[in-house]
Amino acid sequence: MPPSDDRVFKLILTADESKPALIDLISTVIGRHVKDVVVRSNEVKPTDTHEKAEQLDVNCRTDDGTQINFEMQANRVEEAPGGTNQNVKGKVVYYTCGLHSSQPSKGVRRYDKLAQTYQFTLSSYTIFPHRPGYLYSFGSIY
């Protein structure tokens, strides 16, 4: 099975023996040294019956409280014609906001003191073919 399969992707990054690799990956993508990481539940529970239940792929918290979610997007997200990718952009924003707002904030008077939240989406296909400013493109031969 390819690493772009959600189940394989989750197993690769959340297995106990993968922790050093996960720490290195996070350190690289956020640009600072991470000493430790804890993989958390991938389910963000809805607070309302009309709310969508979110299933994150790899939800973790670093030693300084930073929250990070890695998502594997293996299947193309259905988009409206026009090439603006609003659906996939909306999905990323939705997941990021849900994760960020899930942290304890009762009594918080300084919202700028909440933990940073990062959302990284890895894709098995090119999402923005006409935009050269993406970070990295990885591929493999099977």
Side-chain angles (χ1 to χ4, degrees):
M1 295 185 87
S4 60
D5 180 277
D6 267 357
R7 296 162 296 179
V8 175
F9 179 73
K10 290 174 191 178
L11 286 171
I12 289 171
L13 289 180
T14 62
D16 289 338
E17 59 271 11
S18 299
K19 190 172 183 176
L22 181 59
I23 289 171
D24 286 346
L25 176 61
I26 292 170
S27 294
T28 300
V29 295
I30 67 173
R32 67 176 185 263
H33 179 68
V34 172
K35 296 176 194 161
D36 195 20
V37 65
V38 174
V39 176
R40 303 184 312 171
S41 170
N42 66 340
E43 188 175 330
V44 178
K45 299 198 184 320
T47 58
D48 181 294
T49 57
H50 299 289
E51 207 174 309
K52 180 182 175 177
E54 295 175 56
Q55 288 281 71
L56 306 175
D57 284 348
V58 180
N59 176 16
C60 46
R61 183 182 294 271
T62 67
D63 51 284
D64 70 353
T66 300
Q67 301 182 119
I68 298 172
N69 179 44
F70 287 100
E71 287 293 315
M72 174 50 72
Q73 188 62 50
N75 298 318
R76 287 190 180 275
V77 173
E78 186 177 329
E79 296 286 355
T84 60
N85 300 94
Q86 292 303 309
N87 196 19
V88 75
K89 289 176 187 176
K91 179 180 179 181
V92 169
V93 169
Y94 183 82
Y95 275 46
T96 308
C97 290
L99 183 59
H100 192 69
S101 66
S102 72
Q103 61 187 299
S105 59
K106 187 173 183 177
V108 171
R109 294 172 194 243
R110 295 283 314 256
Y111 289 94
D112 59 337
K113 300 297 182 189
L114 292 171
Q116 287 185 304
T117 302
Y118 291 88
Q119 164 71 42
F120 296 99
T121 301
L122 295 100
S123 177
S124 63
Y125 66 96
T126 302
I127 297 174
F128 305 107
H130 304 297
R131 187 173 176 190
Y134 62 89
L135 295 178
Y136 299 101
S137 175
F138 297 96
S140 60
I141 300 173
Y142 296 102

